C-alpha cells in the first residue's frame, strides 16, 4: 500500500470515528456483498418477469439422452 493510499484510509477512518482496521474490514465487507449480489441477483422489467415466470411454469421437456445420463450407474456408484 502506498503512503497516499494509507493516508486516505486513515483519514476516512478518523472521519468515521472508527479504528483503521475496523474501517477497512467494514469497507471490504460491503464490497464483498456487492460482488456476491452482482453474481446472484438479477432484475427484470415487469414484462420480462412475466415471461420468465411463464417459462418456469411450463412442463419440463422429456430429453431421453439426459434422462439416461442421469439414471444410469456411473463409475462413482461402485
Amino acid at each position: 500500500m502506498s503512503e497516499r493510499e494509507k493516508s486516505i484510509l486513515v483519514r476516512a477512518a478518523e472521519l468515521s470515528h472508527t479504528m483503521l482496521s475496523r474501517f477497512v474490514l467494514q469497507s471490504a465487507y460491503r464490497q464483498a456483498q456487492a460482488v456476491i449480489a452482482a453474481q446472484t441477483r438479477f432484475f427484470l422489467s415487469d414484462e420480462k418477469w412475466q415471461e420468465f415466470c411463464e417459462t418456469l411454469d411450463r412442463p419440463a421437456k422429456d430429453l431421453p439422452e439426459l434422462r439416461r445420463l442421469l439414471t444410469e450407474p456411473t463409475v462413482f456408484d461402485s
Side-chain angles (χ1 to χ4, degrees):
M1 166 183 330
S2 72
E3 283 300 318
R4 178 169 167 69
E5 291 168 329
K6 184 176 181 180
S7 68
I8 289 173
L9 291 173
V10 167
R11 180 69 177 133
E14 289 170 353
L15 291 170
S16 299
H17 305 289
T18 188
M19 301 293 294
L20 177 60
S21 59
R22 179 87 175 136
F23 179 82
V24 171
L25 177 62
Q26 288 173 333
S27 299
Y29 182 76
R30 281 193 301 273
Q31 181 63 23
Q33 287 179 312
V35 168
I36 291 169
Q39 297 297 316
T40 59
R41 297 183 185 148
F42 61 94
F43 301 91
L44 300 171
S45 67
D46 291 342
E47 179 183 325
K48 289 294 184 182
W49 176 253
Q50 184 64 35
E51 184 181 329
F52 178 72
C53 289
E54 288 170 4
T55 301
L56 290 177
D57 289 340
R58 280 189 220 141
K61 291 181 182 176
D62 185 31
L63 303 172
E65 293 295 317
L66 181 61
R67 181 178 303 281
R68 182 181 57 76
L69 177 68
L70 297 175
T71 58
E72 286 184 353
T74 69
V75 295
F76 299 110
D77 294 323
S78 50

